[in-house]
Amino acid sequence: MGIVSGMKVLAAMSGGVDSAVAAARAVDAGHDVTGVHLALSRSPASDRGGSRGCCTLEDARDARRAADVLGIPFYVWDLADRFEAEVIDQFVADYAAGRTPNPCVQCNERIKFSAVLDKALALGFDAVVTGHHARLDPDGTLRRSVDLAKDQSYVLGTLRPDQLAAARFPLGDSTKAQVREEAARRGLGVADKPDSHDICFVAAGDTGAWLRDRLGPRPGPIVDSETGETLGEHDGAYAFTVGQRRGLRLGHPAPDGRPRYVLEVSPVTSTVTVGPARALDMRSLVAERIVWPHEGPVSCVAQVRAHGGVVPAVVRARGEELDVQLVEPVRGTAAGQAVVFYDGDRVLGGGRIRSLAA
Amino acid sequence: MTYLDHAATTPMRPEAVEAFTAALTGARNASSLHAGGRRARRLVEESRESLAEVLGARPSDVIFTGGGTESDNLAVKGLFWSRRAADPQRRRVLVSAVEHPAVLDTASWLAGQQGAVLEKIPVDGTGLVHPEALRAAVQADPSSVALISVMWANSEVGTIQPVAELASIAHNYGIPFHTDAVQAFGQVETSFAASAADALTISAHKIGGPVGVGALLLRRGLELEPHLHGGGQERDVRSGTLNTPGVAAFAAAARVATAELPAERLRLTDLRDDLVRRVLAEVPGAVLNGAPSGAGRLPGNAHLTFPGCEGDSLLMLLDAHGVECSTGSACSAGIARPSHVLLAMGVEEAHARGSLRFSLGHGSVAADVDALVAVIGQVVERAGRAGELAGLTSRI
């Protein structure tokens, strides 16, 4: 994992099993480890509801218990204001602009490997350890976890080399099952804690309702892409995601009798455009906010969502953007999502999808 | 290890440990009628007399509770309920803006759930409640005030309030006056009679007794609605089997703390003044919060702002050097929020975040101050670098 023994490292501890074992391995490697739990919510719930697993007082207590078991100092860092400004407000703004953001990518870029990392370095730490499932070679190359089902290289794929230089991911060579087993062996009470899946700040996992609370009703038409006909009304375009099929509540069937999908969300005109599945196929995209240390066209594979396959792609840098030709089309991908490029299990770089074309 | 957090809790005194462990052996229920029960009752009553004596109170004033928070809740809620029951107009609860959460949150709860009107009495830049401010608040409509609560000494910045004067304002209008003396008791002379307070909160573990035991001194004849119903063990105001070992240890700690107080007060004042002087010499931009050294400040309290730093960074770095202190206000998740006390004193939020409380107590020695002074300069410098990233402007 590329840690020189005897460094001062800060272990970000969410209260979950992964970060607890990551911290434990850093201790075993002979480092001076300090645990920190990031308080990201301004008004944390006192206990967990549903599958959330990082942002409640109960999670903070779990992290503290794990630190006690490891015998390392433990503190809580209050980053609620930064998280609100850099992640939550951006999340809302993205949806309001018709994009589909990935807040985990944003949190990694702006909170964990920016605000936390910078503070840690300023306070005299050499590195920040997290429980992400990804591998980081000594030369700074980011690679997929050996556990492909749990691989998180996608949400780390837009980190800059200087951010990765001070990051350590001790779990990349282990499967999740091995991590849980190790946690149990070490007497870490979080061994059986369920994985977190939902967006941590959206209660009950209902993003549409959460956005409605924030943005209020913005009614508009649902329009057929082929006939231009208005098929129905909606309360707010932000509640729709490209590729979505359910919840459209359209009055009458499409001419071809096939299901219709959301093709486009236009917040400016409050219009949701729907059409057939084949119209979702995208063969090229432009990425912005890129990390791309390569020249000339690069043939590789592209991943456009956290849990999804890859498609062959050819990537060309053009100024601050990337032109990406997809050899096979991707379906149901929206602007705002991260795109990460791989050569085998090696991350080449990535960015944010600005636009897509058929 | 350098312990500079005595205001959070102070080590149990040997006399208290001895009384505690002695009472644990062969413990009986102090309400039982047999010989063992009578022995336990005698211990409780002797402890009550002993506490009353050092506090200038009558034994029958003393109601044992589970700690300072319970005593504050009992006083504020109990007085509000009984006063309002006697006259529905009495809905105003006047408390200082710098109260401990055990008073402030209780009063907020009464306002949110029980129809109370919470009014916070402002403080000046040193954290002091001016009698005129309280008088003005009362005079706006004296008949609508249910109770007044102002702490004897502030838990964060150590400012001592003019309790007797404030109580006399309350009494001019026939309003009951409660004071939270958790931090004052054992550090400065605290006489229930001289203060003229109607109710007074104390806690054992702040004076070298065990955690989980405290008392509310409550003037006889004052109506107070109970919270815990049951056996009515404590004057029918508080039910629950008496914590005989805790009560015995509380009284033992109080006796020792009171006997040592005159000398300790001078010794801790000198030690604290030395701490402040030397920290300010190491960190010239630091600012002492609260009242100047003297009769207006708890002898063991030093509360300092380090501009440009975040308190949690300072605390973490000092902890790594074996120096234990506090940011003054911690919530249950361990998050350091800007202190409501400092904000009420007019300190701006960024400065409030960069503050530490160093508190001395029995057992504190010059070497503790030396240990802090040896590292504070480098700690502040490093925390200042982290503070710059957080957008705090360093003025050091």
Side-chain angles (χ1 to χ4, degrees), chain A residues 321-333:
Chain A
E321 296 183 332
L322 296 177
D323 269 333
V324 182
Q325 298 301 316
L326 301 167
V327 178
E328 293 167 21
V330 294
R331 177 168 284 192
T333 299

Side-chain angles (χ1 to χ4, degrees), chain A:
Chain A
M1 66 193 254
I3 295 190
V4 184
S5 182
M7 297 198 309
K8 267 176 73 76
V9 304
L10 188 88
M13 300 178 74
S14 67
V17 60
D18 291 324
S19 54
V21 171
R25 289 186 178 182
V27 172
D28 283 358
H31 303 300
D32 179 359
V33 182
T34 296
V36 162
H37 178 77
L38 309 177
L40 300 178
S41 171
R42 275 188 178 148
S43 50
S46 59
D47 53 16
R48 269 187 299 277
S51 60
R52 303 170 67 200
C54 59
C55 308
T56 65
L57 297 183
E58 192 178 349
D59 294 310
R61 282 195 293 274
D62 287 346
R64 184 187 303 275
R65 279 291 302 132
D68 288 344
V69 170
L70 301 177
I72 60 174
F74 176 84
Y75 306 92
V76 177
W77 282 3
D78 177 10
L79 287 146
D81 290 348
R82 286 288 288 267
F83 189 76
E84 176 99 15
E86 307 245 18
V87 179
I88 298 180
D89 289 352
Q90 186 61 45
F91 181 81
V92 175
D94 276 339
Y95 267 107
R99 293 185 291 265
T100 303
N102 184 322
C104 299
V105 171
Q106 185 77 3
C107 179
N108 284 332
E109 285 182 15
R110 300 300 180 89
I111 304 295
K112 293 198 183 103
F113 299 100
S114 182
V116 174
L117 184 63
D118 291 347
K119 181 170 175 174
L121 295 176
L123 290 174
F125 291 95
D126 303 307
V128 169
V129 166
T130 71
H132 284 108
H133 282 267
R135 282 178 287 177
L136 193 53
D137 291 345
D139 67 357
T141 302
L142 183 67
R143 290 193 293 143
R144 288 194 193 273
S145 162
V146 296
D147 188 340
L148 291 179
K150 288 290 164 192
D151 171 53
Q152 290 174 305
S153 59
Y154 172 80
V155 293
L156 302 166
T158 53
L159 294 180
R160 299 185 310 270
D162 65 293
Q163 292 175 298
L164 289 173
R168 298 293 184 270
F169 308 130
L171 302 189
D173 288 317
S174 304
T175 65
K176 181 80 181 202
Q178 288 169 331
V179 171
R180 285 197 183 280
E181 200 178 299
E182 182 174 332
R185 197 166 64 241
R186 290 175 179 273
L188 294 166
V190 291
D192 298 326
K193 197 168 164 177
D195 290 356
S196 55
H197 290 297
D198 296 341
I199 296 168
C200 67
F201 53 86
V202 175
D206 188 346
T207 306
W210 188 89
L211 286 167
R212 240 182 330 274
D213 279 353
R214 292 253 173 165
L215 294 169
R218 295 185 190 176
I222 300 177
V223 176
D224 190 296
S225 66
E226 293 178 327
T227 65
E229 190 188 348
T230 296
L231 302 174
E233 300 288 325
H234 64 79
D235 294 339
Y238 49 77
F240 295 86
T241 302
V242 171
Q244 175 180 345
R245 178 184 162 192
R246 285 160 198 248
L248 294 178
R249 292 170 312 188
L250 300 178
H252 43 89
D256 57 6
R258 298 226 166 136
R260 274 168 298 199
Y261 297 81
V262 174
L263 301 183
E264 196 184 348
V265 177
S266 307
V268 178
T269 57
S270 223
T271 302
V272 175
T273 307
V274 299
R278 59 184 152 71
L280 285 170
D281 288 347
M282 296 293 159
R283 289 180 176 77
S284 70
L285 62 86
V286 175
E288 59 186 356
R289 292 169 62 189
I290 59 169
V291 175
W292 189 252
H294 309 284
E295 297 201 7
V298 175
S299 293
C300 55
V301 295
Q303 183 173 335
V304 293
R305 56 174 75 89
H307 303 287
V310 295
V311 293
V314 178
V315 184
R316 287 180 184 81
R318 193 188 61 198
E320 299 296 300
E321 296 183 332
L322 296 177
D323 269 333
V324 182
Q325 298 301 316
L326 301 167
V327 178
E328 293 167 21
V330 294
R331 177 168 284 192
T333 299
Q337 291 285 83
V339 55
V340 176
F341 304 103
Y342 293 85
D343 173 15
D345 66 3
R346 208 156 59 90
V347 173
L348 300 177
R352 209 70 102 247
I353 298 174
R354 183 169 67 76
S355 60
L356 296 123

Side-chain angles (χ1 to χ4, degrees), chain B:
Chain B
M1 196 63 74
T2 302
Y3 189 63
L4 296 173
D5 201 14
H6 286 264
T9 195
T10 197
M12 268 180 83
R13 296 170 185 271
E15 296 85 352
V17 173
E18 196 187 325
F20 194 73
T21 49
L24 283 173
T25 312
R28 301 286 187 269
N29 189 326
S31 297
S32 294
L33 303 178
H34 44 61
R38 291 196 300 276
R39 267 201 308 279
R41 170 59 64 177
R42 181 177 163 197
L43 195 51
V44 167
E45 295 311 320
E46 284 174 358
S47 300
R48 193 190 306 280
E49 287 160 15
S50 175
L51 261 175
E53 188 187 337
V54 301
L55 281 155
R58 292 177 301 176
S60 57
D61 293 332
V62 179
I63 296 167
F64 287 114
T65 68
T69 294
E70 187 194 326
S71 295
D72 282 343
N73 271 265
L74 182 58
V76 174
K77 288 180 197 160
L79 288 173
F80 175 77
W81 286 330
S82 61
R83 290 270 296 165
R84 192 188 50 179
D87 181 350
Q89 276 191 27
R90 292 170 183 158
R91 293 169 58 210
R92 289 204 292 154
V93 175
L94 308 186
V95 306
S96 89
V98 295
E99 291 302 302
H100 188 276
V103 167
L104 215 45
D105 287 1
T106 302
S108 295
W109 179 83
L110 287 174
Q113 307 286 324
Q114 302 283 308
V117 177
L118 168 60
E119 290 180 33
K120 295 182 192 171
I121 311 301
V123 296
D124 69 12
T126 68
L128 191 73
V129 176
H130 287 267
E132 307 85 74
L134 177 64
R135 191 176 291 116
V138 173
Q139 277 174 347
D141 183 10
S143 63
S144 66
V145 180
L147 74 137
I148 297 167
S149 181
V150 178
M151 67 207 319
W152 195 302
N154 188 263
S155 51
E156 294 186 30
V157 298
T159 303
I160 296 173
Q161 305 294 353
V163 171
E165 208 176 330
L166 300 174
S168 86
I169 293 170
H171 293 157
N172 285 342
Y173 297 95
I175 300 164
F177 182 87
H178 166 253
T179 185
D180 176 340
V182 166
Q183 293 290 337
F185 183 42
Q187 288 247 333
V188 293
E189 285 81 6
T190 34
S191 164
F192 188 51
S195 76
D198 299 289
L200 181 146
T201 293
I202 49 173
S203 168
H205 77 104
K206 307 286 192 184
I207 62 162
V211 291
V213 59
L216 181 69
L217 273 55
L218 182 68
R219 180 169 60 77
R220 290 304 302 240
L222 188 62
E223 289 283 319
L224 184 143
E225 190 66 28
H227 300 186
L228 299 183
H229 299 91
Q233 281 85 346
E234 289 290 275
R235 259 172 66 185
D236 277 339
V237 168
R238 204 265 190 186
S239 291
T241 301
L242 279 157
N243 176 3
T244 305
V247 161
F250 189 5
R255 278 192 298 272
V256 180
T258 304
E260 290 180 352
L261 195 149
E264 276 292 274
R265 178 172 189 160
L266 296 175
R267 188 183 77 84
L268 291 179
T269 299
D270 285 350
L271 203 54
R272 190 270 320 279
D273 289 349
D274 190 44
L275 183 154
V276 171
R277 186 179 52 74
R278 289 169 66 191
V279 168
L280 292 180
E282 290 290 322
V283 188
V287 180
L288 178 70
N289 299 305
S293 179
R297 185 176 192 118
L298 288 178
N301 174 288
H303 192 284
L304 293 143
T305 292
F306 300 90
C309 299
E310 288 181 299
D312 63 353
S313 296
L314 293 166
L315 189 144
M316 181 173 118
L317 293 166
L318 284 172
D319 193 16
H321 283 100
V323 177
E324 297 180 331
C325 64
S326 162
T327 55
S329 60
C331 92
S332 54
I335 303 169
R337 293 282 181 187
S339 146
H340 72 282
V341 173
L342 294 179
L343 297 180
M345 288 162 57
V347 177
E348 60 179 279
E349 185 171 328
H351 273 221
R353 281 181 179 274
S355 303
L356 290 179
R357 178 188 68 186
F358 305 104
S359 50
L360 306 166
H362 72 96
S364 294
V365 291
D368 295 326
V369 176
D370 295 343
L372 170 65
V373 171
V375 297
I376 190 68
Q378 66 191 82
V379 161
V380 169
E381 196 216 326
R382 202 171 257 298
R385 267 183 260 155
E388 280 172 34
L389 297 170
L392 299 177
T393 47
S394 177
R395 297 188 191 169
I396 294 185

